[in-house]
Amino acid sequence: MDRMKRVKVEEQDPKIRATNFEEVCLGYTQDEAVEEASRCLNCKKPMCVSKCPVAIDIPGFIKHVKNKEFSEAVKVIAKYSALPAVCGRVCPQETQCESKCILGIKGDAIAIGKLERFVGDYSRVHNVDLSETKPKNGIKVAVVGSGPSGLTCAGDLAKAGYDVTIFEALHEAGGVLVYGIPEFRLPKETVVRHEVENVKKLGVKLETNVIVGRTVTINKLMEDEDFKAVFIGSGAGLPMFMGIPGENLNGVFSANEYLTRNNLMKAYKEGYQTPIRTGEKVAVVGGGNVAMDSVRTAVRLGAEGHIVYRRSESELPARAEEVHHAKEEGVIMDLLVNPIEILGDEKGNVIGMKCVRMQLGEPDASGRRRPIAIEGSEFTMDVNTVIMSLGTSPNPLIPLTTEGLSINKRKCIIAEDETGLTSKKNVYAGGDAVSGAATVILAMEAGKKAAKAIDEMLSK
Ligand SMILES: Cc1cc2nc3c(=O)[nH]c(=O)nc-3n(C[C@H](O)[C@H](O)[C@H](O)COP(=O)(O)OP(=O)(O)OC[C@H]3O[C@@H](n4cnc5c(N)ncnc54)[C@H](O)[C@@H]3O)c2cc1C
């Protein structure tokens, strides 16, 4: 074994996977996981842990994998995270835990994400029991939203003995994990549902189809239903648009709507009635992970998929792995291009997109070089579906219906400190609702910190 080289993980062939919604990465087998775990140096001062927002004992679980004690490895991770099979698949490990692995200085960092995924999957396949909690204390806590922040907060509070209810607006729990991230990166019925079920097995109650701010308000939950504290993990699901002519035409979607139709409403599956444009030529405007998910979904639905991004490849905000996978699957990168108008026919259907070519100037406030339009470079792209993937912000419904809850200019709920305490007594918030669109693991970190603070506050 070459200690400096990472054990390769199998992936579906790009040509085949571009035609299906099965997972791209097939994950390690037991032998491969043990071999990869055996490369770990088990550092005395593990830097990988310092870069994990929920501080998982990474060398601890990897040591168990190395010794083939897989159930023990599951239990180590479960102390810190309820979502190992999710995080093993979607966390940006290359900029977190793996970026600090000593082996990465001269060779390949340990594949911490792939090992975490292996352990999470082992736990599901072998039904490892993780339902241990402290005795119930009967104190009620409400959690708004069942994304990673809400699930984490609810799970940690249930473990500490609280009577927790999650109120979720949609018909299925998981937040972006079920409606946003596509099946080919994160399988829903196996991986996400299992990890949500694990949280429910801790005693957490889940009420779906409840829109807090419409069906019930936070004030009502606290005053009439005896909830002693509330955690708001309602995410940032409100899409942004460019404000250019033609954005109201048939065939223009926000990335959120397009992905929700496909992931949550199963538009790609036979027998499901959700309409979705399969479009011959689809342009996705934006260069982040959500844009890559959208364009790769469009390709799988049979389209020629284009990424239209106003900067160059080195400024693409998406993870390098996502860009690489998208290119392998045949996505066309139209870089240094900016849309200025979407064109429609007399029936209001998209028939093209007018764009302008860009060049890069001096760095702007974000530190990235500013894109500047090149005069006289206008051209028309021949497309019939346009997906806007320009970012999202929190929905203002909860702040608008909750007296005393402050928000900032970006419509994010203001947390007074890192516990997520808001301007309203006994109400905490975290995840994308506070930070704006971020990552799964940062949302989990916020859920954990709030759970700890709620426990300290209520057990005084
Ligand atoms: C397409 C896409 C791909 C992504 N890929 C990655 C990735 O690869 N890696 C990564 O780390 N991050 C990724 N992210 C970001 C990540 O998913 C989010 O940062 C994370 O899910 C935020 O968690 P959250 O709990 O704050 O909110 P969410 O996951 O958004 O969950 C919020 C939940 O609250 C519910 N809700 C909202 N309002 C109400 C209300 N009024 N009443 C009741 N319920 C309500 C929503 O229905 C939702 O279920 C991606 C995001 C998107 C959109």
Side-chain angles (χ1 to χ4, degrees), residues 90 145 147-149 168-169 175-176 185 210 212 233-235 259 293 432 438-440 443:
V90 305
S149 66
E168 167 56 52
V176 171
R185 285 211 292 128
V210 177
V212 174
S234 49
L259 291 170
D293 282 345
D432 286 5
T439 61
V440 169

Side-chain angles (χ1 to χ4, degrees), residues 76-334:
V76 170
I77 299 183
K79 283 189 205 152
Y80 308 86
S81 165
L83 307 172
V86 167
C87 290
R89 284 169 168 84
V90 305
C91 266
Q93 291 98 6
E94 68 280 7
T95 56
Q96 298 183 346
C97 50
E98 292 177 9
S99 73
K100 287 287 170 190
C101 175
I102 299 290
L103 285 177
I105 299 172
K106 289 205 171 142
D108 294 340
I110 294 282
I112 299 168
K114 298 286 181 289
L115 289 174
E116 186 186 18
R117 166 194 164 127
F118 168 79
V119 171
D121 288 353
Y122 180 93
S123 156
R124 180 180 71 253
V125 174
H126 295 85
N127 230 337
V128 180
D129 180 24
L130 299 170
S131 60
E132 205 180 319
T133 62
K134 283 193 181 157
K136 297 280 167 236
N137 61 20
I139 303 173
K140 285 173 75 178
V141 180
V143 170
V144 183
S146 63
S149 66
L151 288 171
T152 302
C153 185
D156 278 12
L157 284 167
K159 279 191 207 162
Y162 290 87
D163 177 0
V164 187
T165 306
I166 300 181
F167 297 96
E168 167 56 52
L170 298 173
H171 63 272
E172 180 136 2
V176 171
L177 309 179
V178 284
Y179 80 73
I181 304 180
E183 187 73 22
F184 55 83
R185 285 211 292 128
L186 184 62
K188 314 292 160 226
E189 278 170 30
T190 46
V191 176
V192 181
R193 192 164 289 168
H194 175 78
E195 297 200 333
V196 170
E197 282 306 314
N198 277 349
V199 173
K200 283 164 72 181
K201 280 185 193 154
L202 296 168
V204 172
K205 296 170 203 152
L206 175 67
E207 291 199 23
T208 51
N209 299 313
V210 177
I211 302 178
V212 174
R214 286 265 185 278
T215 327
V216 71
T217 62
I218 288 183
N219 289 1
K220 203 165 158 29
L221 288 173
M222 298 183 87
E223 285 158 21
D224 300 350
E225 297 194 29
D226 203 30
F227 286 97
K228 300 292 183 211
V230 177
F231 173 77
I232 307 171
S234 49
L238 200 64
M240 296 177 193
F241 286 88
M242 290 187 81
I244 58 174
E247 277 182 310
N248 56 347
L249 290 167
N250 293 329
V252 181
F253 293 85
S254 69
N256 262 28
E257 180 188 345
Y258 189 76
L259 291 170
T260 302
R261 281 175 186 258
N262 208 54
N263 296 328
L264 189 67
M265 318 303 287
K266 311 283 180 218
Y268 71 94
K269 276 195 175 172
E270 291 216 356
Y272 282 77
Q273 299 300 314
T274 314
I276 194 164
R277 292 275 286 235
T278 46
E280 293 125 45
K281 284 195 182 178
V282 174
V284 177
V285 183
N289 290 319
V290 180
M292 297 304 150
D293 282 345
S294 306
V295 78
R296 294 173 71 198
T297 296
V299 166
R300 281 162 172 77
L301 290 170
E304 175 183 296
H306 293 247
I307 284 284
V308 176
Y309 180 60
R310 62 195 184 134
R311 289 183 162 98
S312 73
E313 177 149 358
S314 44
E315 287 84 22
L316 277 172
R319 288 173 76 187
E321 185 184 344
E322 300 306 320
V323 178
H324 170 71
H325 279 151
K327 283 186 181 168
E328 276 189 337
E329 291 162 12
V331 168
I332 300 161
M333 297 283 171
D334 291 303

Side-chain angles (χ1 to χ4, degrees), residues 309-312 314-315 336-338 357-374:
Y309 180 60
R310 62 195 184 134
R311 289 183 162 98
S312 73
S314 44
E315 287 84 22
L336 290 165
V337 171
N338 203 28
R357 297 204 185 276
M358 311 293 280
Q359 60 189 356
L360 295 179
E362 292 303 308
D364 62 15
S366 71
R368 293 176 304 170
R369 292 177 64 193
R370 196 161 65 86
I372 305 165
I374 302 174

